[in-house]
Amino acid sequence: MDAADRAPRKESWRRILPPGFAWPVGYRAAACFTFDVDAESPILFDHPEAAGWLDVMSHQAYGPRTAGPRLLRLLDRTHVRATFFIPGYTAERWPETVRSIRDAGHEIAHHGYLHEGARSAPDVETEERRLLRGLEALDAVAGVRPIGYRGPNWELSYATPGLLVKHGFRYDTGMMDADHPYRLAVSPEPGAPSIVELPAHWSLDDWEPYNYLPGITGSGVIASPADVIARWTLELEALVEEGGLFMLTNHPFVSGRASRAAGLGRLIERCLEIDGLWVATAAEIAAHVETLPLEPVVHRPPELPPRL
Ligand SMILES: [Zn+2]
């Protein structure tokens, strides 16, 4: 295929970008590599009794103890800066891990305190206390004040965006209604403040295909990295054609295992080969989106119709 053949396809992706949206000059799409450093947190929140189960705790400790250093080496080798979403409890239990991520130049962002999903909060005050507890832990351990948030389990309440603005966050990542970043109004009120949303999706999350803990998560069918990387590569290449954002979510204890990390390395190298693909941290992408003339998207809860 020569350059002339490719030209019409380039025009087609330009036409489908949302109004006001553009990538930085020279780029036609973006890829963001993110790691949710969950370690023991989600297991302990959902199954507190697992604190006494050495087998399960060792499975989760693989992230900080073994996979983290491997993934940092991979990112260093490929010169990619990533975004690490870290629950406050993980920071307190594994402070050296968090500091090594910080010292390697990666972005650190918020991921709850004990990985509490928003749906488990009985009220907005509880949700806010958890948000603040996570902030305090990241500050105490690493001196970091994150600007980005990812809801544990991707869970968001309609109050979450307002809490994020109130506490100085500039972006959320986890909504699943777009291929491109957008501005997110924190409420339907006219003139409501907004933050940047960096959409994600379950299909670009490593937990579902790989993770298995008997009685806790997973079906026991563990996918091959060859299949997972092939699936993610299909989505990457399709999103590049759409001019969208490839937001990949990995967990060190999951994707830091040897053959999975090797596959992730091949995916990163594929990204670096793609002409015009911007590989950036979530904060870098959010900072760019803040400069765009985007009309904020308003999310309203649906009104339930009367049941017949
Ligand atoms: Zn998580």
Side-chain angles (χ1 to χ4, degrees), residues 98-99 102 108 135-146:
V98 177
R99 291 179 200 130
R102 177 200 63 192
I108 290 177
L135 283 175
E136 288 159 8
L138 292 177
D139 183 30
V141 169
V144 169
R145 176 57 175 85

Side-chain angles (χ1 to χ4, degrees), residues 13-304:
W13 60 256
R14 282 201 185 96
R15 285 196 295 273
I16 52 95
L17 293 178
F21 189 86
W23 291 110
V25 173
Y27 294 110
R28 58 179 171 137
C32 184
F33 290 90
T34 69
F35 297 89
D36 295 0
V37 191
D38 288 355
E40 299 92 342
S41 302
I43 309 301
L44 293 178
F45 185 70
D46 292 335
H47 302 274
E49 67 278 16
W53 300 345
L54 176 57
D55 54 321
V56 172
M57 292 298 99
S58 80
H59 182 268
Q60 301 309 112
Y62 185 84
R65 189 162 279 148
T66 304
R70 175 180 291 137
L71 292 168
L72 288 178
R73 287 196 301 274
L74 168 62
L75 295 169
D76 182 59
R77 175 171 65 77
T78 53
H79 305 290
V80 165
R81 289 179 63 234
T83 300
F84 289 74
F85 294 88
I86 306 180
Y89 181 81
T90 297
E92 291 172 351
R93 186 165 164 82
W94 300 98
E96 290 309 316
T97 295
V98 177
R99 291 179 200 130
S100 67
I101 293 166
R102 177 200 63 192
D103 294 347
H106 300 292
E107 179 192 1
I108 290 177
H110 196 296
H111 196 44
Y113 177 74
L114 193 58
H115 205 275
E116 311 93 338
R119 284 198 283 279
S120 70
D123 48 46
V124 68
E125 289 76 20
T126 304
E127 203 181 331
E128 185 171 24
R129 280 202 304 277
R130 291 170 172 176
L131 192 69
L132 292 173
R133 196 176 183 191
L135 283 175
E136 288 159 8
L138 292 177
D139 183 30
V141 169
V144 169
R145 176 57 175 85
I147 64 162
Y149 179 77
R150 170 171 288 158
N153 309 325
W154 309 102
E155 289 180 26
L156 297 169
S157 74
Y158 279 87
T160 309
L163 291 177
L164 295 179
V165 163
K166 178 178 176 184
H167 293 292
F169 288 85
R170 289 165 52 194
Y171 75 86
D172 169 75
T173 172
M175 298 255 197
M176 301 193 180
D177 56 341
D179 294 327
H180 301 82
Y182 61 86
R183 282 209 81 93
L184 162 66
V186 306
S187 82
E189 299 296 319
S194 62
I195 57 172
V196 170
E197 174 60 34
L198 304 176
H201 190 249
W202 289 108
S203 62
L204 292 176
D205 185 318
D206 63 352
W207 189 294
E208 288 62 44
Y210 285 146
N211 210 2
Y212 176 53
L213 266 172
I216 294 177
T217 191
S219 65
V221 179
I222 298 175
S224 161
D227 294 338
V228 174
I229 298 302
R231 170 153 43 101
W232 290 347
T233 303
L234 284 173
E235 186 68 5
L236 166 70
E237 293 173 348
L239 280 170
V240 168
E241 289 301 309
E242 299 284 346
L245 170 63
F246 177 78
M247 170 63 76
L248 188 67
T249 299
N250 283 318
H251 301 74
F253 78 90
V254 179
S255 274
R257 294 211 167 249
S259 64
R260 299 170 184 172
L264 179 61
R266 289 192 291 278
L267 179 64
I268 290 174
E269 284 160 8
R270 173 72 189 113
C271 283
L272 298 176
E273 289 170 359
I274 295 176
D275 187 37
L277 179 63
W278 185 29
V279 179
T281 65
E284 289 169 332
I285 295 171
H288 166 70
V289 175
E290 286 175 339
T291 69
L292 300 175
L294 299 173
E295 190 67 29
V297 171
V298 175
H299 291 276
R300 291 184 177 83
E303 287 184 26
L304 286 169

